[in-house]
Amino acid sequence: MKKVWSISTTLRNPERLRNFLITLKEMQGCIWNKDAQLEFQIRLIKNRYYGYGNTQFYNGLSSEHIDLLEDINKKISMEDAKDIFESKNYVGASMRGRNSYKTLEKMGLATIKDRKIKITSLGEYLLSDNYDLGELFFRSFLKWQYPNPVDREFSDNTIYDLKPFILTLHLIKRVNELCSEKGLKEKGISRVEFEIFAQTLTHYKELDSQAEQLLEFRQRTESIKEYKLKKEFIEAFKEQFLYDFVNIENLSDYADNTIRYFRLTRLIYIRGGGYYIDLEPRRKVEIETLLKTYDGSAEKFTKDEYIDYISNINLPQLPWENAKNLNEIYNDLVRDIDKIFRENNLSKKSHTLFLASVKLREPSLTLKQFEEQEINRLREYRKLLLKQVLKIQLQDISKIDETIDSLKNIRTLDLKPSIALEKYITMALNIINDAKEIKPNSLLGDDGDFIFTAPANKPDIECYYESFNSICEVTMLTGRDQWHNEGQPVMRHFRDFEDKSSKENYCIFVAPQMHRDTINTFWFSLKYEYEGKKQKIIPLTITQIIDILEYIKLLKEDNKGFVHIRFQSFLESVVELKDDENINSSDEWLRAIPNIVKNFTDGKL
């Protein structure tokens, strides 16, 4: 029996991978034996990267151990962590550490050299301050193959011979080619088609037949107009097509997760209202050269060769890293930016300066310098222009309604809720006032859309105004884990931001609701200090942001302006509650904020 491939559940939280790697680095150079494997798992508990907040893990632990794990103000010693681990009475205890390490090895983030723990160049990249998840996963997916020497699953080379990511790109390209030949619209493949036909590819030689079957399925599905009959046909087709696959129970979830992570590479994009997955047209040169170079088949490696290969961030050399292709990429970017200027009525002066800068391009750069400096500069400039275009579009009342509706239904959108919240709070901040720049640190696609959340070492959103600056941190967490994940990190991000800003600074914290421990932490920072100085942190619920947007919408409908000074006055009013003689606790502060919001939306502030 065959298996469908998918992104491992262990890769569903990249920050968890990074935390595991941070812990493993504490042991770099140690001999990787049973004692070290045990120590690694104990260190994960000590650092609260394993077990913390997991009610299943708490089963069998004493109340003292649970209290220690839950109280993040207390450090867990190695001795305490060892006691906690031993309380679990695991059979084959060192195996826990081996399993925690295995995911890092499969990703090429760590390896064992001469029996010693070593963080690889790919792992060091993930640990760096300016790591890009998109680049990390692109490098990993490019080399991901079945069979491979470190993975027992999919090891039967009579069934499996593929690189899943590369072969998926080939499948989308081939389906588009078939559509073109038949005079049909080229639109990539749908989520249902991805689920059935992409994740069931087991051999690169199946590509053509799989693409043809996909198109036949699409044409038959589109010919059925009644929804119920169409759904019945799809389910019957799935049952027949997948009859010899054994792991199809969660196929739809597998597909959603795989699409989400493939999108990180920036080589695919989502179209058709979020329903179709297509090749990213802005990366045409990269995709074409990649698919000409790799047919989607697995390569032959020994175990050591494979580990060295997947862990080296500089391998393989990318097929477009030559003068001809890099110049094509550069010229495509210039044309795309020129088009954005012309189609969106942006500054003519900036347009003229941009065209002049292209003519002054430095001719003596090496290929690597050309890619890292000139091409990346143009991509960043395009992002900046797309943000300007978005701000213009968001002045339309219909866009305000769309943002409000999305925030009201944040858990049911096509995007993962945490990503959706960063996206629509960014849009809300653009709508609210005349900021100089609203800068999300989220991972964005070439189309400017949100792909993944901001990295853990940066604020979610940075906001720059004429008279003040702010950051905005958002979370979908509502339990005590909100305090653990957001309390100290938010204040730390804010302090780093304050240290670089010469203006008055604020931090807006947005969540569905506030946990008492989070509010208590922010109240102490506001009322007393964090690292020796007070901080102006303003907690707002998603509902309160919606109320503010409704107010801004009314102003726009009445052709009334709204400037950032008024927004600053609102933020300052929340801060000044700390000096109210009737407010003496974090609970009282939190209960008073809705009145400030109401006064603001009633036009009294």
Side-chain angles (χ1 to χ4, degrees):
M1 298 290 279
K2 296 184 287 187
K3 289 185 175 182
V4 298
W5 53 264
S6 66
I7 304 296
S8 167
T9 54
T10 53
L11 301 186
R12 294 190 182 189
N13 186 345
E15 290 303 334
R16 191 166 188 254
L17 272 181
R18 191 170 188 264
N19 291 338
F20 274 36
L21 195 61
I22 288 169
T23 301
L24 188 67
K25 187 160 186 178
E26 296 172 3
M27 300 175 63
Q28 181 154 243
C30 294
I31 298 292
W32 186 243
N33 53 24
K34 286 188 176 181
D35 288 341
Q37 292 156 16
L38 194 62
E39 180 184 339
F40 178 45
Q41 197 64 26
I42 290 169
R43 283 182 179 273
L44 289 172
I45 294 170
K46 170 185 172 290
N47 294 341
R48 291 187 173 88
Y49 295 150
Y50 186 89
Y52 168 77
N54 186 328
T55 53
Q56 185 177 354
F57 182 80
Y58 290 171
N59 289 338
L61 297 184
S62 68
S63 58
E64 289 81 5
H65 282 154
I66 295 172
D67 289 344
L68 176 60
L69 281 165
E70 286 281 296
D71 189 349
I72 63 169
N73 291 316
K74 292 181 180 177
K75 288 187 176 181
I76 302 174
S77 67
M78 280 295 289
E79 186 177 341
D80 287 332
K82 185 179 180 183
D83 286 344
I84 291 169
F85 182 77
E86 289 176 348
S87 296
K88 296 298 294 178
N89 294 316
Y90 289 123
V91 176
S94 62
M95 182 180 67
R96 296 279 165 173
R98 285 199 300 277
N99 288 341
S100 294
Y101 164 79
K102 203 67 182 174
T103 302
L104 302 177
E105 183 183 60
K106 285 181 180 180
M107 279 284 291
L109 302 171
T111 187
I112 306 300
K113 280 286 185 185
D114 300 323
R115 298 178 58 228
K116 294 179 181 179
I117 299 166
K118 183 179 187 301
I119 308 299
T120 66
S121 61
L122 190 66
E124 292 291 356
Y125 176 75
L126 179 57
L127 294 177
S128 67
D129 289 338
N130 295 310
Y131 71 94
D132 181 327
L133 271 182
E135 180 68 13
L136 178 83
F137 278 96
F138 168 68
R139 292 286 179 170
S140 294
F141 291 156
L142 190 60
K143 295 177 269 193
W144 174 30
Q145 68 173 53
Y146 293 123
N148 68 64
V150 299
D151 202 325
R152 292 180 183 177
E153 283 193 296
F154 309 96
S155 59
D156 187 344
N157 59 15
T158 64
I159 298 176
Y160 306 105
D161 188 344
L162 78 156
K163 290 186 174 180
F165 175 63
I166 298 292
L167 203 54
T168 298
L169 297 181
H170 271 291
L171 178 65
I172 297 171
K173 181 175 184 287
R174 184 63 188 132
V175 169
N176 282 341
E177 288 171 346
L178 289 173
C179 287
S180 177
E181 291 167 10
K182 296 176 182 291
L184 303 172
K185 182 180 179 181
E186 299 175 46
K187 55 186 178 183
I189 65 177
S190 72
R191 288 180 178 269
V192 170
E193 291 163 355
F194 187 99
E195 180 183 329
I196 299 171
F197 297 98
Q199 294 191 131
T200 57
L201 279 165
T202 58
H203 200 290
Y204 74 102
K205 290 183 178 178
E206 297 172 351
L207 175 66
D208 286 339
S209 65
Q210 199 90 330
E212 288 164 4
Q213 289 181 85
L214 186 155
L215 197 54
E216 288 175 13
F217 167 80
R218 178 185 296 178
Q219 290 175 307
R220 289 179 65 186
T221 304
E222 290 178 348
S223 70
I224 303 170
K225 303 305 178 186
E226 188 179 331
Y227 174 77
K228 183 181 178 183
L229 293 177
K230 183 177 291 192
K231 187 176 180 181
E232 288 173 353
F233 167 74
I234 291 172
E235 291 306 314
F237 184 92
K238 278 186 187 179
E239 185 175 348
Q240 182 180 7
F241 191 82
L242 302 170
Y243 78 96
D244 58 348
F245 287 88
V246 295
N247 58 333
I248 59 173
E249 295 81 9
N250 300 306
L251 193 56
S252 181
D253 289 341
Y254 290 162
D256 286 345
N257 197 56
T258 300
I259 291 165
R260 185 182 304 125
Y261 277 86
F262 278 5
R263 197 178 176 211
L264 286 174
T265 67
R266 300 184 177 93
L267 296 192
I268 68 168
Y269 83 117
I270 308 300
R271 61 186 296 180
Y275 191 65
Y276 280 86
I277 302 98
D278 205 352
L279 303 179
E280 172 56 77
R282 301 164 192 83
R283 302 268 175 158
K284 182 180 177 182
V285 175
E286 292 95 318
I287 292 169
E288 286 184 352
T289 55
L290 193 65
L291 298 187
K292 283 178 183 176
T293 306
Y294 300 103
D295 61 6
S297 62
E299 299 178 55
K300 300 289 190 293
F301 293 101
T302 65
K303 183 176 180 180
D304 286 344
E305 287 171 344
Y306 184 68
I307 290 173
D308 286 345
Y309 180 60
I310 63 173
S311 62
N312 188 335
I313 195 169
N314 297 312
L315 292 177
Q317 181 176 344
L318 301 176
W320 58 82
E321 290 180 334
N322 57 73
K324 178 178 179 293
N325 289 141
L326 288 176
N327 272 299
E328 286 180 32
I329 293 168
Y330 182 88
N331 291 331
D332 283 349
L333 279 163
V334 170
R335 283 190 288 270
D336 195 29
I337 291 170
D338 184 51
K339 183 180 178 183
I340 292 169
F341 268 114
R342 286 186 286 102
E343 292 184 352
N344 293 283
N345 197 28
L346 299 179
S347 165
K348 290 183 179 179
K349 182 179 179 181
S350 296
H351 191 185
T352 303
L353 288 172
F354 165 71
L355 294 175
S357 72
V358 171
K359 293 177 182 177
L360 295 173
R361 194 179 95 192
E362 173 58 54
S364 61
L365 297 176
T366 65
L367 288 180
K368 188 171 182 61
Q369 288 172 330
F370 180 51
E371 183 172 22
E372 291 180 350
Q373 295 177 28
E374 294 298 312
I375 289 177
N376 287 345
R377 178 181 65 84
L378 289 186
R379 286 194 171 124
E380 288 303 312
Y381 189 63
R382 180 173 61 188
K383 280 184 191 176
L384 181 64
L385 291 181
L386 289 173
K387 282 191 283 187
Q388 292 177 20
V389 171
L390 175 65
K391 188 166 181 66
I392 293 169
Q393 292 171 342
L394 288 172
Q395 304 315 304
D396 189 279
I397 297 296
S398 66
K399 287 293 184 181
I400 301 178
D401 287 334
E402 178 189 324
T403 303
I404 290 170
D405 186 62
S406 296
L407 287 170
K408 285 180 177 177
N409 299 284
I410 200 73
R411 295 185 186 277
T412 59
L413 304 175
D414 286 334
L415 272 177
K416 188 178 178 182
S418 56
I419 304 171
L421 188 59
E422 288 190 17
K423 174 179 178 176
Y424 287 103
I425 292 298
T426 297
M427 293 175 74
L429 290 166
N430 271 296
I431 289 167
I432 287 171
N433 51 39
D434 55 343
K436 291 167 66 178
E437 182 183 8
I438 302 295
K439 179 187 174 186
N441 285 315
S442 318
L443 187 65
L444 304 179
D446 287 346
D447 56 357
D449 203 3
F450 285 62
I451 298 177
F452 212 81
T453 54
N457 58 345
K458 292 182 180 180
D460 293 335
I461 308 165
E462 298 173 31
C463 311
Y464 298 94
Y465 302 86
E466 195 65 45
S467 302
F468 71 97
N469 293 327
S470 76
I471 66 168
C472 182
E473 300 277 13
V474 308
T475 183
M476 289 300 297
L477 299 174
T478 57
R480 201 162 188 265
D481 52 350
Q482 182 190 87
W483 170 57
H484 178 257
N485 287 281
E486 304 293 341
Q488 287 286 328
V490 165
M491 295 189 297
R492 185 170 60 251
H493 291 165
F494 188 30
R495 178 49 40 84
D496 291 343
F497 183 80
E498 288 175 303
D499 289 343
K500 292 183 288 187
S501 171
S502 59
K503 297 179 180 178
E504 196 71 31
N505 298 289
Y506 302 86
C507 171
I508 303 167
F509 179 76
V510 181
Q513 63 187 50
M514 304 296 162
H515 190 272
R516 59 188 295 185
D517 293 343
T518 310
I519 288 301
N520 193 52
T521 298
F522 292 162
W523 169 254
F524 193 91
S525 175
L526 175 74
K527 182 79 173 176
Y528 303 105
E529 56 86 27
Y530 171 72
E531 293 182 347
K533 291 188 289 185
K534 295 179 180 181
Q535 291 187 307
K536 295 184 175 183
I537 300 178
I538 295 90
L540 296 172
T541 64
I542 295 174
T543 300
Q544 288 166 341
I545 294 291
I546 291 169
D547 290 342
I548 292 170
L549 288 175
E550 296 278 14
Y551 172 59
I552 300 298
K553 178 186 171 184
L554 288 174
L555 291 178
K556 288 185 180 294
E557 287 174 337
D558 290 341
N559 293 315
K560 294 179 180 177
F562 182 81
V563 294
H564 68 277
I565 295 295
R566 285 194 61 197
F567 189 56
Q568 182 181 14
S569 176
F570 161 69
L571 298 177
E572 196 63 42
S573 296
V574 177
V575 170
E576 288 171 354
L577 289 171
K578 68 181 172 56
D579 299 320
D580 189 319
E581 61 183 16
N582 296 314
I583 295 176
N584 299 299
S585 69
S586 59
D587 286 344
E588 291 173 349
W589 177 49
L590 185 63
R591 286 197 296 270
I593 291 174
N595 291 329
I596 300 294
V597 174
K598 188 174 188 311
N599 286 339
F600 176 68
T601 56
D602 286 346
K604 296 176 182 177
L605 287 179

